[in-house]
Amino acid sequence: MIISFSTNTNFSRIKLHELSKRGLKEMDRITSYENYREAWNNSHENSQDYWRRIAETYQWSRPFDSISSGDFSDLEIKWFEGGQTNITTNCLDRHLKHSANKKALIWEPNSPDEESITLTYQELHAEVCRFSNVLKEHGIKKGDRVCFYMSMVPELLTGVLACARIGAIHSVVFGGFSAQALAGRIIDCEAVMVITNDEAYRGAKTIPLKEITDLALETCPSVKTVLVRERTGSSINYKEGRDHKLMPLLKAANSKCPPEAMNSEDPLFILYTSGSTGKPKGLLHTTAGYMIWAAETFKQVFQMQNDDLYWCTADIGWITGHSYITYGPLLNGQTTMMFEGTPTYPDAGRFWDIVDKYEVTHFYTAPTAIRALQACGPEHVRSKSLKSLKVLGSVGEPINDEAWQWYNKEVGKERCPIVDTWWQTETGGIMISSLAGVTESIPTYATLPLPGVKPLLVDSDANIQDSKSAEGNLCIASPWPGMARTIWGDHERYRQTYFSTYPGKYFTGDGAKRDEKGNYRITGRVDDVINVSGHRIGTAEVEDAINEHPAVVESAVVGYPHPIKGQGIYAFIISSAQDEEIMAKELNSLITKIIGPIAKPDKVQIAAALPKTRSGKIMRRILRKIAAGEIDTLGDISTLLNPEAVDQIIKQTASIKE
Ligand code: 7RM
């Protein structure tokens, strides 16, 4: 074994005057491939030192006593124990000395005709403090759960930070979920407050968020207060004593609020995500480890200069919006942009208009958006300048070669490195990615693990694939600061879901390949999770919803390749109903009600029977092949209980409409 005695000392350092301008302490930035290698080795061989040095560049109200403890067997994982900090001190207060007048947030509204909003660090600090005081005035205290069901308005970002400032636990629910899905999450975390909009603007549509909230709250006794951020001004119901208008409260509130001293392992937020079984899981992220991970990964992956402008197009309702709209950029003292609208409103040039309007340098989006815009034709992008762009990012699903090439050529004009960032709600931040302009970008490869991340490829018998180039199920070998610490209220489910398939390892649910040089290519989920337009959807959840239909006897839902969405949803059902089109409509509205419009099936097929094993299990592998149109490679079906079901389904498939 080669033992490296390397320390961080010869990392190239950002010039001191640059740093003092930013108000940050001296910090290390990886600036070459060799540097990266050294940092990666160091992060594993001298893990404790490595993270101490990084953590010390942040502000603590009480220094930490130890770096990390716990492992993937005891699952009592703790980082920076004994320390106290507040993530908003590090996002906001820390920058006031040198960057008070630097732009912190630029908000671009849904309609290009409406005024944008810009807040400096000073102003954002004041807004967050006002919001914190409003929360306190309404009884919110440390440890309380506050649920956000909002569109992308500035108060979503300031509200989340306000929770963090006073130690309340935020749980953001994406505005595309239904009342029932919202209620499920509120009930699970026993939220005492919901913050919503009257309505959301979304392209040419409006979404009645308050109405949906009211419906959800019929079954949520824990909620005592609802704050409503008026956006469209539509007339909505206010329930006496429970509901309040947010904006007048903010206006009247004091703009100073001291940060709550949070222990390193105190909860910061809960975010729900779908898995292969059961209801959505509330992943819990804690204060210090998440903070360090969001900050450090943002810094190393995006490699921003002081005057650069960063825009991530995600919604704060997803983890990408938590780590890379809110926390990561602000922890680094950068300017973050927030966009309320959609890529195609008023037309498919909107993203590029925004890039030109503000001179965005760093642009981070999802493959599904790239493919959707690609399908609208090159004129929308070729008619724009885009000369400000320096770095492009991709996240949420595997990026196919065609989309990668289009992004590189039409958007990046072949002069912007692309960072394809692989990570999950569970990981808190980026795990595998190139570092912009520092390590190589390779089409369709997320490439290299970040310092602190040791990926493993294992086969289905749990054998680690040691050879340089290999393929297998992607696991992570050891804890990293940003990992979720538990599933809210169900630590056993956390163990079962992530650490039982391969004991002693974290199993991601993804498959991956590794090339000779150690670059990873993520091939997609190997479990019953499908990724539709970058949204994680559990097939079991969709099946449960479908099975609520009185005419459905049984169902099986699988993903299939979809040119824009990445994966589409294909539902096979056994039903007494005859008419597939009517059934598809009914199931669409049922799923919209139970989960939300994002989980609507693209195809519904009424089958005479589902292929089953002799023990009665549905053979999803075969259904996936049929859904993908790969009927020549079904493999051996003779051992099935009912091989004839396969032929029947294939015959019917030809007539299925989207
Ligand atoms: C950040 C986020 C996680 C799942 C993950 C993968 C897929 C995400 C990439 C990717 C290939 C990528 N969190 N995924 N990023 N697959 N390349 N760069 O999306 O919890 O919502 O989803 O998304 O399958 O397991 S998530």
Side-chain angles (χ1 to χ4, degrees), residues 273 318-320 394-399 420-426 432 446 508-510 522-525 531 534-536:
T273 192
W318 308 112
I319 188 71
T320 304
S394 173
V395 60
E397 49 178 321
I399 181 165
D420 175 2
T421 62
W422 174 83
W423 59 293
Q424 309 177 296
T425 306
E426 292 84 345
I432 303 181
T508 64
D510 282 312
I522 313 300
T523 49
R525 302 290 303 197
N531 195 323
H535 303 157
R536 254 170 88 162

Side-chain angles (χ1 to χ4, degrees), residues 82 301 360 372 403 428 471 511 530:
V301 169
V360 171
E471 184 169 357
I530 45 189

Side-chain angles (χ1 to χ4, degrees), residues 298-368:
F298 179 86
K299 182 203 300 172
Q300 303 297 7
V301 169
F302 290 101
Q303 298 277 329
M304 290 184 68
Q305 303 300 312
N306 197 21
D307 295 327
D308 284 346
L309 177 59
Y310 167 87
W311 177 25
C312 167
T313 69
D315 191 292
I316 293 180
W318 308 112
I319 188 71
T320 304
H322 283 58
S323 302
Y324 300 112
I325 295 177
T326 311
Y327 291 115
L330 297 176
L331 285 164
N332 281 280
Q334 294 291 353
T335 310
T336 188
M337 277 193 44
M338 208 177 152
F339 174 42
E340 185 186 35
T342 65
T344 51
Y345 179 80
D347 62 48
R350 186 68 191 279
F351 272 4
W352 321 127
D353 285 333
I354 297 174
V355 168
D356 281 354
K357 176 175 172 188
Y358 298 98
E359 301 189 338
V360 171
T361 58
H362 289 62
F363 178 74
Y364 191 27
T365 197
T368 187

Side-chain angles (χ1 to χ4, degrees), residues 531-577:
N531 195 323
V532 183
S533 302
H535 303 157
R536 254 170 88 162
I537 295 169
T539 54
E541 258 180 276
V542 183
E543 287 167 9
D544 287 348
I546 290 175
N547 295 347
E548 301 237 333
H549 192 289
V552 171
V553 178
E554 195 177 23
S555 65
V557 167
V558 297
Y560 70 99
H562 187 285
I564 307 278
K565 300 178 180 180
Q567 282 188 296
I569 303 180
Y570 200 128
F572 295 90
I573 60 170
I574 307 289
S575 171
S576 53

Side-chain angles (χ1 to χ4, degrees), residues 29-36 299-305 362 390-393 404 415-420 433-442 447-448:
R29 169 112 44 119
I30 297 169
T31 56
S32 68
Y33 178 78
E34 293 68 36
N35 230 195
Y36 157 76
K299 182 203 300 172
Q300 303 297 7
V301 169
F302 290 101
Q303 298 277 329
M304 290 184 68
Q305 303 300 312
H362 289 62
K390 293 183 184 173
V391 171
L392 302 177
W404 196 99
R415 52 172 186 74
C416 301
I418 295 179
V419 290
D420 175 2
S433 173
S434 55
L435 311 181
V438 172
T439 65
E440 199 188 356
S441 306
I442 307 169
T447 74
L448 299 168

Side-chain angles (χ1 to χ4, degrees), residues 399-406 408 418 420 434 440-447 515 519-522:
I399 181 165
N400 51 307
D401 190 61
E402 205 194 339
W404 196 99
Q405 301 297 348
W406 189 84
N408 182 42
I418 295 179
D420 175 2
S434 55
E440 199 188 356
S441 306
I442 307 169
T444 76
Y445 278 75
T447 74
D515 73 7
N519 293 299
Y520 287 84
R521 177 188 188 163
I522 313 300

